[in-house]
Amino acid sequence: MLLSIQRLVVREFEAMVEQDSGLETNGEMSNIDLLREMNSTSLAVDEEDDIAAVPLSIEQKMEMLNCMRQFIEEKGMESAMPTLRAFEKTIFSEATKKRQTTLDSFFK
């Protein structure tokens, strides 16, 4: 999850740098002008985000749950516990749906 956020930030930064490199100006652009120019080209950047994500394994999902639980406990965010429990319920039910189909798969 953190890696996905980092990738998104890098993409946005690279898009801003690319946008600025093609601009010809005779003076200084205000922040409003820069934001307006960036927003006009944001559709091209958003199209890249539509790439299908690779599904996470049960192990990855469980690791994320553990990290979320630890973060919530460290920050004392009791109000986030119901959301965490909902995630746990979904992931645990997904994990229990996986059944042994052959003897070989049991020993993998």
Side-chain angles (χ1 to χ4, degrees):
M1 188 161 143
L2 181 60
L3 190 57
S4 298
I5 294 170
Q6 288 173 337
R7 286 184 190 146
L8 180 62
V9 170
V10 168
R11 278 192 213 145
E12 290 178 355
F13 177 76
E14 289 172 348
M16 285 190 283
V17 170
E18 183 181 345
Q19 180 66 38
D20 289 346
S21 67
L23 275 166
E24 292 183 22
T25 60
N26 293 330
E28 295 283 325
M29 290 184 74
S30 69
N31 287 342
I32 294 172
D33 294 332
L34 288 171
L35 287 172
R36 192 175 296 134
E37 187 66 30
M38 188 62 200
N39 287 335
S40 69
T41 59
S42 65
L43 292 177
V45 174
D46 291 342
E47 289 172 3
E48 294 174 5
D49 294 338
D50 292 341
I51 298 171
V54 177
L56 297 173
S57 68
I58 296 295
E59 291 79 18
Q60 290 171 317
K61 292 174 186 177
M62 296 297 286
E63 183 179 339
M64 289 174 64
L65 279 177
N66 289 334
C67 290
M68 286 173 55
R69 179 175 289 284
Q70 183 178 356
F71 178 77
I72 289 169
E73 289 173 356
E74 284 177 5
K75 298 296 181 183
M77 300 171 57
E78 289 80 21
S79 62
M81 289 306 287
T83 304
L84 177 67
R85 288 189 195 105
F87 280 125
E88 288 174 335
K89 183 179 178 181
T90 302
I91 293 170
F92 291 155
S93 68
E94 183 180 325
T96 57
K97 286 181 184 177
K98 296 201 177 255
R99 300 277 188 236
Q100 175 185 346
T101 55
T102 65
L103 191 57
D104 292 336
S105 68
F106 180 76
F107 290 104
K108 285 187 178 180

